[in-house]
Amino acid sequence: MKFIFLILTTISFSFAFAAKPIDKSDKKYFDETYRPQFHFSPGKGIMSTPLGQFFYNGEYHMFYQYQPDTTATAPTQWGHAVSKDLIKWENLPVLNLPGSGENICTPHSGSAVVDEKNLTGLQQGEEKTILLFYTGRECGQCLAFSNDKGRTWKKYNKNPLIEPGNDNTLGPNVFFDQVSGKWIMTIYRCPDGDVSKQGISIYNSSDLLHWELQSHLEGFSSSADLFKLTMDGETKWILSGGNEYLTGKFDGKSFIPETKIRKIDLGKNFQAAHAWTNLPDGKVIQIAWMRGGKFPGMPFNGQMTFPCELSLRKTQTGSLLCRKPIDGLDKFFDKDLKKKEKNLIPGLKGNLIGAINGDALLIKGIFDPKTSDGFGFIIRNGKKSSGTIIKYETARKSLDCLSRQVLVEPKNGKLELEILVDRTSIEVFANGGESVLSSCFTPTEGEDDLVLWTQGGELFVDQLEIYTIKSVWKEGK
């Protein structure tokens, strides 16, 4: 049986990166009006898809497709950043491979792994070799490598590892499968150039250099990650691409779906999700491009979602991929407000949280709707604008933010919300990340009031914590 479904195609830009160091001594460093303060954004230019993410020697690496300005037409290169905690990032020089900008075999999209056992024989010195697999434009699947912790890269002199043939391919994603003892590569592929057969092809290898085609699953229209999660002691495999995923089984050669296709995120600006490889403790942490965000008057365009740890949870509708913001933001907390066991009655007590405001916030609460017809928050409220409303409609069990809705069933009559507000984005996580709305917005400058409201009846606030978040870009953090 064939499983046919579509995943939104990630738009990939063909960009070059002419990085100019930013003066961090400048008091306005990364503090523009619409500069995200705890989400990743480039110093300048346009950013899109995250790719090539790996962990090595205490550093999280992230590449991303990049263009220095909107008029550039140069070949694709990758921006590059590293972090110790996945929150505060340091921009590194662009991935610069010999021949980039001079021929068609420049990197398009891909992934990176650490060659711990030096299977390729490419290691020089004490540092492990980092392998970067990428689709070379019209050149098939290629390899680059680094022997200095990802600071400089060389193209493998026997590229391509997989000939392009007549297939349209994109985004090799590589990982090691403990059960089969093989390295696995997933590639978006149109066999013989036939779009009707587009999907994910699975290859395997023993030495990371020679790859054999094992299977092809039709339906996907973008590259995809394949990773495993544990649910109630049972291992399940997730095939995740764009903004959608399947749960199923994997035998080292083929992925067998067990569920229907689901969305990862129901917000309006979530696309091209990818996970890090080689993480300690077997964690799966994912980040995505917030496609379509607006940043008027800014020297940059684009931001990532906040990194989330993934888990699989059994629900009444089957296994569900859940996303929870990673720990670590508490290092950047500034002011806080905490409330517990409070009744909120329309028109009587005013705004329960009027004592705190800001343009970068973490809001965590557990709410009992009681007789309330609907309740929620007004974000970035003020005199010049009415702010942005997050609303839960009790009868419809519908959570709404920035014109996107998701059905959220209360648990034991209560609703749990975790909300990340940055200068140009709102991410709402309901019931431990079972439902998520990630969207961009463009609030009115200078308006930063916060309101908790209820209508039609009483809302009981079991507990509520709100923190303002300091910029992660400033020195001394």
Side-chain angles (χ1 to χ4, degrees):
M1 181 181 294
K2 294 182 180 179
F3 294 80
I4 307 297
F5 50 88
L6 292 178
I7 286 184
L8 295 175
T9 302
T10 299
I11 294 178
S12 299
F13 296 103
S14 296
F15 300 146
F17 181 38
K20 180 180 179 181
I22 298 176
D23 183 5
K24 294 185 179 182
S25 64
D26 186 346
K27 292 182 180 180
K28 295 183 179 180
Y29 170 65
F30 268 40
D31 194 28
E32 303 96 334
T33 301
Y34 294 114
R35 169 71 67 180
Q37 295 298 281
F38 62 96
H39 289 73
F40 180 82
S41 61
K44 65 174 185 176
I46 300 176
M47 176 200 74
S48 65
T49 308
L51 35 75
Q53 298 139 257
F54 67 94
F55 177 82
Y56 176 67
N57 198 23
E59 289 184 327
Y60 299 89
H61 290 248
M62 178 174 65
F63 292 94
Y64 52 93
Q65 292 181 333
Y66 189 87
Q67 175 188 17
D69 60 68
T70 57
T71 62
T73 57
T76 297
Q77 291 192 24
W78 295 3
H80 187 190
V82 294
S83 174
K84 297 289 186 181
D85 58 8
L86 286 169
I87 300 175
K88 183 174 182 177
W89 292 90
E90 175 188 356
N91 280 293
L92 294 181
V94 69
L95 172 68
N96 187 14
L97 298 177
S100 292
E102 299 173 2
N103 59 55
I104 59 176
C105 293
T106 52
H108 188 274
S109 61
S111 64
V113 299
V114 180
D115 185 4
E116 298 281 0
K117 298 182 179 179
N118 194 26
L119 295 176
T120 60
L122 295 172
Q123 182 173 334
Q124 297 177 358
E126 296 183 358
E127 298 293 345
K128 301 296 183 182
T129 303
I130 300 165
L131 306 177
L132 193 155
F133 297 87
Y134 63 93
T135 300
R137 294 182 182 277
E138 301 180 36
C139 298
Q141 312 315 311
C142 300
L143 174 67
F145 62 97
S146 172
N147 284 309
D148 58 1
K149 300 189 293 186
R151 267 53 182 181
T152 60
W153 300 83
K154 298 178 181 179
K155 281 187 176 180
Y156 181 53
N157 61 10
K158 295 182 181 180
N159 280 333
L161 303 182
I162 301 176
E163 295 285 348
N166 296 321
D167 304 338
N168 296 321
T169 59
L170 185 67
N173 289 293
V174 177
F175 69 95
F176 184 71
D177 176 34
Q178 296 284 352
V179 175
S180 66
K182 298 281 190 178
W183 287 91
I184 308 298
M185 177 188 290
T186 61
I187 304 175
Y188 164 77
R189 179 169 164 261
C190 297
D192 300 318
D194 187 347
V195 178
S196 68
K197 298 178 180 179
Q198 68 176 351
I200 300 301
S201 290
I202 295 176
Y203 295 72
N204 67 23
S205 172
S206 298
D207 62 4
L208 288 162
L209 296 176
H210 300 88
W211 296 87
E212 295 182 359
L213 176 63
Q214 301 297 324
S215 63
H216 182 76
L217 177 68
E218 292 184 0
F220 277 85
S221 58
S222 67
S223 61
D225 291 340
L226 181 59
F227 52 84
K228 60 184 177 181
L229 293 170
T230 301
M231 182 179 67
D232 296 335
E234 183 181 4
T235 297
K236 293 290 184 180
W237 286 86
I238 310 296
L239 189 62
S240 168
N243 182 23
E244 296 179 307
Y245 73 96
L246 280 174
T247 303
K249 295 180 180 179
F250 178 63
D251 61 6
K253 295 183 178 181
S254 301
F255 176 82
I256 301 92
E258 296 180 325
T259 62
K260 295 181 179 180
I261 192 73
R262 288 186 185 232
K263 291 282 187 181
I264 301 173
D265 190 293
L266 274 296
K268 66 178 183 178
N269 298 105
F270 185 97
Q271 183 61 30
H274 282 291
W276 271 267
T277 64
N278 203 47
L279 292 185
D281 304 322
K283 290 183 178 181
V284 179
I285 296 177
Q286 186 186 70
I287 199 169
W289 169 37
M290 298 197 79
R291 175 184 175 186
K294 305 297 182 183
F295 308 86
M298 297 295 100
F300 69 96
N301 188 321
Q303 72 169 72
M304 299 297 186
T305 59
F306 192 74
C308 287
E309 183 175 352
L310 305 185
S311 62
L312 204 58
R313 191 175 303 166
K314 187 174 291 185
T315 68
Q316 293 180 347
T317 58
S319 58
L320 186 65
L321 186 66
C322 299
R323 294 169 47 229
K324 180 176 176 56
I326 61 169
D327 296 332
L329 264 181
D330 56 328
K331 295 181 297 184
F332 303 96
F333 287 170
D334 190 4
K335 299 177 182 178
D336 65 83
L337 181 146
K338 299 178 182 180
K339 300 289 183 179
K340 189 175 183 180
E341 298 180 345
K342 298 289 185 179
N343 282 313
L344 189 63
I345 302 174
L348 292 183
K349 291 190 177 181
N351 181 19
L352 186 65
I353 58 176
I356 194 166
N357 57 17
D359 58 14
L361 303 164
L362 169 61
I363 304 168
K364 299 175 70 172
I366 300 175
F367 306 91
D368 183 346
K370 283 198 168 182
T371 60
S372 173
D373 293 334
F375 71 93
F377 294 89
I378 304 177
I379 308 296
R380 298 292 299 271
N381 192 39
K383 296 180 180 179
K384 299 179 182 179
S385 69
S386 57
T388 297
I389 297 176
I390 299 172
K391 181 179 182 179
Y392 183 75
E393 293 186 49
T394 307
R396 296 177 58 214
K397 299 178 182 178
S398 175
L399 180 65
D400 182 296
C401 180
L402 290 160
S403 301
R404 293 299 175 95
Q405 301 83 32
V406 60
L407 182 67
V408 179
E409 187 78 34
K411 294 192 173 183
N412 299 317
K414 298 178 181 181
L415 185 71
E416 178 187 347
L417 295 176
E418 183 169 358
I419 304 169
L420 297 178
V421 179
D422 209 338
R423 289 185 179 176
T424 50
S425 62
I426 300 176
E427 294 173 274
V428 185
F429 301 81
N431 290 342
E434 290 185 0
S435 301
V436 187
L437 297 170
S438 298
S439 300
C440 292
F441 75 142
T442 310
T444 302
E445 182 178 0
E447 307 281 64
D448 59 5
D449 289 343
L450 183 64
V451 178
L452 173 63
W453 56 272
T454 181
Q455 64 182 24
E458 180 182 6
L459 170 71
F460 188 75
V461 180
D462 274 29
Q463 61 183 61
L464 178 61
E465 301 176 15
I466 303 174
Y467 304 91
T468 61
I469 300 173
K470 296 180 289 186
S471 172
V472 304
W473 301 105
K474 300 291 180 64
E475 294 298 311
K477 295 293 192 296

